[in-house]
């Protein structure tokens, strides 16, 4: 296989567009300068378009989990009751962070591969008074997207705050922070936002600020009041990853030029083509169709086959990287990301490589049938 010819199709980090890489390699600038302030302001204004919010948005230099921890550290105090809506690995992580901060966490598991059932949420909310509800927009580990609008409509009727992990969804799947009553929305740079890892974005509603101001958990680097104070001058509390800010500026420029509706439609189209191809190959997707993610498709490994063996062939022979299963799904699924800097031909490459990998490990496969199904979706035909 040719050196350096790789196809990165995992749900983060995702491929970086040339314009973003170029922006990140510009000469360094100081972060306490007018140039940085102007860029910071432009970034936040554009992120508000993506988040569909008028709220404060803070860009923190840490991975997505740091953003999740900032959300918890600033809203959860020891002894608080927290409702965690868990649909997989990342929902479990959110619950664990809250427990680390001393919360009494009521964890509702919907099962890996299922989405949040709104009936269960309604019952829970009427049975107890929660300070905070934790939800995942796009459960990356299972390729399931949750109904944040529906959850927000229920939580919004209570005094609880809704904290949403939108790390792999925001920028690829529409979210309406204000209209859907999301109080803290977290995302990160290395998924649908087309950047390398290293930035987390945290948006905070007025309802959340009332809690954040007097919250009792320890916080220093992750203090949102400190971030807010610095942001009044379009500054950051501590030295930010300046290069990643420049990259984010360029990535948002690309997204604004494409138009967010088109960005979401592109992801939906890639997801539909991927699912049609998977079906045509006689494989099964993990998520139910109505909750299947627009940005990542989780596919069940064929009976008797370890999904990681398919991935090894894909990597070694074709330079294609899919993600494996996490936790209890290890070996049982593989995940194809179509997230961020990805378009139709990436899906075609992914599916044709998958067909060859299946053939190489001795699975029966009708070569070209998956590719044909994807092509038909792209041509606008029937699936
Ligand atoms: C990737 C991801 C995370 C973790 O982000 P890190 O940047 O690895 O800390 C959390 N939640 C979801 C839904 C993710 O996809």
């Amino acid at each position: 296989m040719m050196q350096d010819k790789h196809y990165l199709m995992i749900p983060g980090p995702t491929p970086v567009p040339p314009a973003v890489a170029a922006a990140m390699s510009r000469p360094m600038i100081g972060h306490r300068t007018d140039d940085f302030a102007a860029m910071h302001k432009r970034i936040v204004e554009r992120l508000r378009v993506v988040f569909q919010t008028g709220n404060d948005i803070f860009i923190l230099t840490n991975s997505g989990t740091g953003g999740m921890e900032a959300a918890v550290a600033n809203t959860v105090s020891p002894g608080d009751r927290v409702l965690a809506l868990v649909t997989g690995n990342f929902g479990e992580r959110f619950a664990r962070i809250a427990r680390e901060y001393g919360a009494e966490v009521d964890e509702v598991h919907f099962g890996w591969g299922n989405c949040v059932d709104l009936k269960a949420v309604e019952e829970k909310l009427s049975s107890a008074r929660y300070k905070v509800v934790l939800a995942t927009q796009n459960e990356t580990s299972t390729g399931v997207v949750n109904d944040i609008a529906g959850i927000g409509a229920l939580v919004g009727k209570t005094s609880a705050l809704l904290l949403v992990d939108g790390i792999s969804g925001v920028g690829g799947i529409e979210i309406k922070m204000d209209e859907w009553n999301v109080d803290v929305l977290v995302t990160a740079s290395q998924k649908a936002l087309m950047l390398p890892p290293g930035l987390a974005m945290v948006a905070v509603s007025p309802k959340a600020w009332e809690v954040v101001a007097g919250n009792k958990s320890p916080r220093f680097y992750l203090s949102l009041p400190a971030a807010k104070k610095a942001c009044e001058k379009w500054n950051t509390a501590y030295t930010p990853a300046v290069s990643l800010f420049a990259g984010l500026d360029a990535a948002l420029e690309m997204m604004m030029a494409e138009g967010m509706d088109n960005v979401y439609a592109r992801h939906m189209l890639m997801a539909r083509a991927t699912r049609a191809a998977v079906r045509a190959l006689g494989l099964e997707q993990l998520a139910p169709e109505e909750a299947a993610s627009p940005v990542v498709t989780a596919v069940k490994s064929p009976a008797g086959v370890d999904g990681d063996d398919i991935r090894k062939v894909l990597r070694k022979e074709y330079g294609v990287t899919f993600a494996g299963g996490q936790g209890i799904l290890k070996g049982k699924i593989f995940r194809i990301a179509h997230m961020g800097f990805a378009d139709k031909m990436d899906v075609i490459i992914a599916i044709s490589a998958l067909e060859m990998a299946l053939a190489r490990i001795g699975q029966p496969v009708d070569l070209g049938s998956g590719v044909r199904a994807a092509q038909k979706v792209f041509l606008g035909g029937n699936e």
Side-chain angles (χ1 to χ4, degrees), residues 11 63-66 68 90 93 136 138-140 165 167-168 188 190-191:
S63 89
T65 306
M68 294 163 78
F90 293 106
R93 181 177 300 180
T136 314
N138 183 74
E139 180 47 78
T140 323
D165 168 359
I167 290 173
S168 62
Q190 81 276 22
K191 311 261 168 124

